[in-house]
Amino acid sequence: MAELRPKDVQVAEVGANTLVLRSRTFDRLKFEVEYARQKGTTANAYLIQADQIALIDPPGASFSGLFIEELAHHVYLQRINYVILSHVNPNRLSTLKDLLNPEVAAQITFVCTRAAEVVLRESFPEQALRILVANAEDTIDLGQGHCLHFIPTPTPRHPDALCTYDPATRILYTDKLFGAHVCDDALYDEHWRSLTDDRRYYFDCIHAAQSKQVEAALDRLAEVTQSALILAPGHGPLVRYSASRLVFDYRYWCEQQDQQDFSVALLYASAYGNTATMAAAIARGLTQAGVTVASINCEFADPDEVTAAIAKTDGFIIGSPTLAGHPPSQIQTALGIVLSTAPKTQLAGVFGSFGWSGEAVDLLESKLQDAGYTLGFETLRVKFSPTEEVLQQCEAAGAEFAQILKKTRKTRTLRQPAVDARSDRTEQAVGRVTGSLCVLTAKQGSADIGVLTSWVSQATFNPPGLTIALAKDQAEALLPETGDGFVLNILKEGRNLRRHFQKPMQPGEDRFAAVAHHPASNGCLVLDEAIAFLECQVQNRMECGDHWLIYASVDNGKVLETVGVTAVQHRKSGTYY
């Protein structure tokens, strides 16, 4: 394995009187869901030096010392007038504390939204902070044409979000919008097509569960995005060559979320960010399973918003921290709305984090069960911060919730005979297409993952190659990129492997613990009870409706059992696997 480059701060001029300071980490070991593509990330800060000086979005604690040291090479720290905060989180507070040191830059004035001001004053109760609250259409004139315009863009995940536009350079500072977790030497997006998958994955992790609020933010930014030359996000390369396309993509991706057949309300509050992190992982599991998520941070939502969400969705999941042995008042209000308005046929879920006792999670679970709601996954309880394993469990819980939700509706839906008979005949005909039953195994970081599939066909003689059709969520999880390796295990008729891989995986379950296996030369697992296996490498991908078509070359293979026949999947309809 190649040695990772150490952390550093890349500095470059991006406009008149304007520098970007990109705190870069090439570390591939971050476990949060949004970093799963393992390409490192950057924390982008920006420095505008006109008659007055403004610093936008200093990085978090892991870069505090390195960043301030580099910053001091480019500006006299005691001359910084403003620190503009696009959002505030516990990680960034550590760097702000270092900046407020009397020997560093204690004279600074913070510019942020009202929600961020509350967090700052609670975090530094002993200090008389200078804070300017930025409302819509507010400006700060730094001189030399740098009259900064502020546009609040709140979302459930970042209720204090703030974008900033500088007409002098035509740079729009977008923080969590239009970013990607990619770390390399490229400052701009010259090769933007190669970033498409990373941008989409970032959107799915950060914004898919709050698509309505993102659409509202795009509406607020519409005028400045049309005139901006550069979109300057908080992570990844600056957007210079594909700005209009990326704005269009964001709108399209938001619309896709609104067109799903199932929807879930995800209600939560978060005292220290831990419950919010769990909510993001659960939302990821839901959206990847094709469910629209209406994410609501109850700390900043009106009760009418909660009521409307419950009325429109097919299920709800509620998460809470424990404060002094109880849920926060906003969660108690949300629970009351749920109990009084949500039909008992709606599927429910409960999760939360706590520091000592966790009574809030137990209360939510018991209240919902006593009221007759069915829980879509085993309640998730986390002490302090969620670990990598816990976040995987949260994502799996979201996927499990989606499966049960779809299955529940299917059993309640009466088949309408003689309606659309021609469509039924077509589906039955398509269902006569058969395929070999296989288990595709691959790597996701250090974890082994596998999926049952029969949509496999040989595609080429020379080189030997095959095609596999995978649902989009499976393709993203299993084979996100060209060059990825995998093993196709071809099953033998009469074995129980099929049944084993058909069962829904429980949160945290090791799918391969009860299955004999060994690693292939590409590191993916060979199932010892398969009749044969093929080691493959992805060469190309094509989006086909609701699936990705994967073309892969076969690098190696072996028949494990010469006696027996290949298991084949026979279907009655072309509308399911």
Side-chain angles (χ1 to χ4, degrees):
M1 179 178 176
E3 185 176 348
L4 293 176
R5 292 166 58 179
K7 294 178 179 180
D8 65 11
V9 180
Q10 179 190 34
V11 182
E13 184 176 357
V14 294
N17 307 316
T18 305
L19 298 178
V20 61
L21 295 91
R22 304 174 76 222
S23 299
R24 303 190 295 181
T25 176
F26 301 86
D27 188 357
R28 295 170 179 265
L29 302 178
K30 288 180 177 290
F31 63 79
E32 291 89 341
V33 173
E34 65 189 84
Y35 298 101
R37 290 179 68 83
Q38 299 184 350
K39 295 185 177 182
T41 192
T42 69
N44 301 335
Y46 303 91
L47 182 67
I48 304 172
Q49 300 184 77
D51 298 334
Q52 297 188 81
I53 299 173
L55 173 64
I56 302 176
D57 291 338
S62 63
F63 271 100
S64 181
L66 189 63
F67 173 79
I68 292 176
E69 180 182 352
E70 182 64 37
L71 180 65
H73 293 156
H74 303 277
V75 64
Y76 184 52
L77 299 179
Q78 280 76 19
R79 290 192 61 237
I80 297 175
N81 301 97
Y82 302 103
V83 172
I84 300 170
L85 300 172
S86 300
H87 77 279
V88 178
N89 59 26
N91 191 33
R92 180 169 285 170
L93 287 172
S94 177
T95 304
L96 300 184
K97 180 180 179 181
D98 292 341
L99 285 171
L100 287 169
N101 187 306
E103 297 180 359
V104 181
Q107 78 290 340
I108 56 178
T109 296
F110 292 114
V111 181
C112 60
T113 62
R114 181 71 67 187
E117 180 198 20
V118 172
V119 175
L120 288 175
R121 295 203 185 281
E122 289 178 349
S123 303
F124 301 102
E126 305 300 323
Q127 294 184 254
L129 299 179
R130 302 177 183 87
I131 299 178
L132 288 180
V133 175
N135 297 305
E137 301 182 1
D138 283 352
T139 62
I140 289 180
D141 192 348
L142 301 179
Q144 302 181 41
H146 298 276
C147 185
L148 305 184
H149 297 247
F150 299 108
I151 307 106
T153 52
T155 63
R157 186 163 181 173
H158 301 103
D160 56 348
L162 178 69
C163 292
T164 304
Y165 181 64
D166 184 356
T169 55
R170 295 170 66 182
I171 297 176
L172 175 61
Y173 302 95
T174 60
D175 190 39
K176 291 297 182 180
L177 296 171
F178 311 124
H181 287 306
V182 176
C183 184
D184 54 29
D185 294 325
L187 183 65
Y188 296 106
D189 60 332
E190 292 96 334
H191 305 291
W192 59 270
R193 287 182 177 84
S194 67
L195 295 169
T196 299
D197 288 348
D198 296 299
R199 286 172 166 176
R200 179 59 194 263
Y201 185 83
Y202 179 90
F203 174 90
D204 285 344
C205 290
I206 304 294
H207 299 304
Q210 53 188 23
S211 57
K212 289 190 179 298
Q213 293 87 348
V214 172
E215 284 185 289
L218 294 175
D219 290 341
R220 295 189 187 99
L221 296 170
E223 183 177 347
V224 291
T225 52
Q226 290 177 5
S227 59
L229 293 177
I230 296 174
L231 305 179
H235 303 287
L238 280 70
V239 183
R240 181 177 182 179
Y241 299 95
S242 60
S244 60
R245 174 56 189 261
L246 188 53
V247 173
F248 172 84
D249 285 344
Y250 261 58
R251 287 197 178 276
Y252 176 68
W253 295 336
C254 287
E255 290 172 3
Q256 282 185 318
Q257 296 302 313
D258 297 337
Q259 294 169 1
Q260 303 289 359
D261 293 332
F262 297 87
S263 61
V264 170
L266 181 59
L267 316 174
Y268 68 93
S270 190
Y272 302 102
N274 297 325
T275 306
T277 300
M278 295 176 68
I282 293 170
R284 170 70 177 166
L286 288 165
T287 56
Q288 287 299 293
V291 173
T292 295
V293 180
S295 183
I296 298 177
N297 187 333
C298 295
E299 296 175 81
F300 303 94
D302 188 274
D304 290 341
E305 184 180 351
V306 177
T307 303
I310 293 296
K312 294 177 181 177
T313 52
D314 304 293
F316 61 88
I317 301 173
I318 186 166
S320 176
T322 297
L323 303 177
H326 301 282
S329 59
Q330 300 93 335
I331 291 297
Q332 295 183 40
T333 299
L335 177 62
I337 293 171
V338 165
L339 294 174
S340 61
T341 63
K344 300 302 184 289
T345 54
Q346 283 199 359
L347 195 63
V350 178
F351 68 98
S353 64
F354 57 92
W356 301 107
S357 48
E359 294 93 342
V361 181
D362 297 335
L363 173 68
L364 294 176
E365 181 184 52
S366 62
K367 289 287 187 181
L368 292 175
Q369 287 180 328
D370 291 345
Y373 292 99
T374 300
L375 299 184
F377 55 77
E378 186 175 346
T379 297
L380 297 166
R381 298 173 175 85
V382 177
K383 191 168 185 178
F384 301 117
S385 299
T387 63
E388 177 180 7
E389 181 181 359
V390 166
L391 292 180
Q392 290 175 349
Q393 292 174 355
C394 290
E395 189 169 351
E400 179 185 0
F401 192 95
Q403 288 180 349
I404 295 175
L405 188 67
K406 294 176 182 179
K407 186 181 298 184
T408 301
R409 179 187 284 188
K410 186 175 181 180
T411 59
R412 290 178 186 151
T413 302
L414 294 176
R415 180 175 176 84
Q416 301 296 324
V419 176
D420 210 2
R422 181 178 299 174
S423 175
D424 284 348
R425 290 198 300 269
T426 302
E427 292 167 1
Q428 291 170 9
V430 173
R432 294 304 184 266
V433 177
T434 61
S436 302
L437 269 173
C438 305
V439 172
L440 188 155
T441 58
K443 285 285 189 181
Q444 191 174 59
S446 59
D448 292 297
I449 51 179
V451 63
L452 185 71
T453 181
S454 62
W455 291 21
V456 180
S457 178
Q458 182 170 349
T460 55
F461 288 125
N462 188 21
L466 50 82
T467 58
I468 304 174
L470 293 173
K472 288 183 176 178
D473 59 322
Q474 291 179 332
E476 189 62 59
L478 289 164
L479 305 171
E481 294 183 342
T482 299
D484 285 337
F486 65 93
V487 166
L488 191 70
N489 295 274
I490 304 164
L491 302 190
K492 181 180 179 179
E493 187 65 45
R495 293 278 167 82
N496 290 324
L497 283 176
R498 170 181 179 170
R499 185 178 303 171
H500 176 78
F501 282 91
Q502 278 180 327
K503 293 188 300 182
M505 188 171 67
Q506 300 301 315
E509 177 186 355
D510 181 358
R511 175 73 86 179
F512 300 96
V515 177
H517 60 270
H518 66 273
S521 60
N522 64 4
C524 302
L525 296 185
V526 173
L527 306 183
D528 293 347
E529 291 190 17
I531 196 169
F533 73 91
L534 302 172
E535 295 183 34
C536 307
Q537 185 178 62
V538 177
Q539 301 297 332
N540 207 345
R541 308 187 334 153
M542 181 172 68
E543 189 172 10
C544 300
D546 54 4
H547 282 64
W548 278 98
L549 187 65
I550 310 293
Y551 170 70
S553 59
V554 178
D555 300 328
N556 190 21
K558 183 179 180 181
V559 175
L560 298 177
E561 296 193 28
T562 56
V563 178
V565 296
T566 300
V568 177
Q569 170 77 331
H570 296 281
R571 302 179 300 160
K572 293 183 179 180
S573 172
T575 59
Y576 57 82
Y577 294 108

